[in-house]
Amino acid sequence: LGESLACYYGLKALEHSALPTSAKHQVRRRFVDPTRRVLAGLLELDRLHAGGDALAYPLFYEQGSTFWAELDQSLSEATSGKRTLDEFIVPLLESDLPSDGKLPQTFLASLRSAGGPKIDALLDKYVGR
């Protein structure tokens, strides 16, 4: 959760930098790629990493950033631009995070309420159960 969120919000901050647009897009594409094949959900990657698989770690940045970017975009689209991921992050970080690595049910319910059925599709694709 922490690594993927930090990476995604770092990319969002980069959008406001004075760097050339092409450079910003190049960096973002390195991490956010919805066409990249997902071999395991973030929960499984967390288990693999906890078991000593160092190859799982970089995927927290790539797959995690893509998940948060897709989630952010879906929320914006579902609400005609009125709501974004930003609105949901503080309550997420203030909540008691489950020890099993899953996202809190209250957070998921809020996302589903705002974003509709696409939220579950994103969770299935990027996070797993």
Side-chain angles (χ1 to χ4, degrees):
L1 176 74
E3 298 295 330
S4 61
L5 266 177
C7 186
Y8 176 62
Y9 273 92
L11 293 169
K12 282 185 77 160
L14 182 68
E15 292 173 13
H16 301 286
S17 75
L19 288 173
T21 301
S22 62
K24 292 187 273 192
H25 289 316
Q26 183 178 3
V27 171
R28 183 179 172 91
R29 280 192 307 270
R30 164 65 180 86
F31 293 97
V32 177
D33 181 1
T35 65
R36 187 182 296 124
R37 190 168 173 222
V38 175
L39 299 175
L42 291 166
L43 288 172
E44 179 61 22
L45 293 175
D46 189 47
R47 288 190 274 282
L48 291 170
H49 182 261
D53 185 349
L55 296 177
Y57 193 74
L59 295 173
F60 293 128
Y61 296 97
E62 295 172 358
Q63 187 170 315
S65 293
T66 302
F67 165 66
W68 294 114
E70 290 286 286
L71 189 58
D72 202 4
Q73 181 178 340
S74 292
L75 290 166
S76 180
E77 288 172 359
T79 62
S80 301
K82 294 179 181 140
R83 300 176 84 180
T84 67
L85 182 60
D86 296 357
E87 176 183 330
F88 299 88
I89 292 304
V90 172
L92 169 64
L93 297 177
E94 289 177 343
S95 67
D96 291 325
L97 299 175
S99 60
D100 60 5
K102 294 182 179 181
L103 294 168
Q105 288 302 313
T106 54
F107 175 69
L108 295 175
S110 298
L111 292 177
R112 288 178 179 118
S113 175
K118 188 167 182 186
I119 300 304
D120 281 319
L122 292 171
L123 290 166
D124 288 342
K125 179 178 181 179
Y126 292 107
V127 178
R129 301 206 186 243

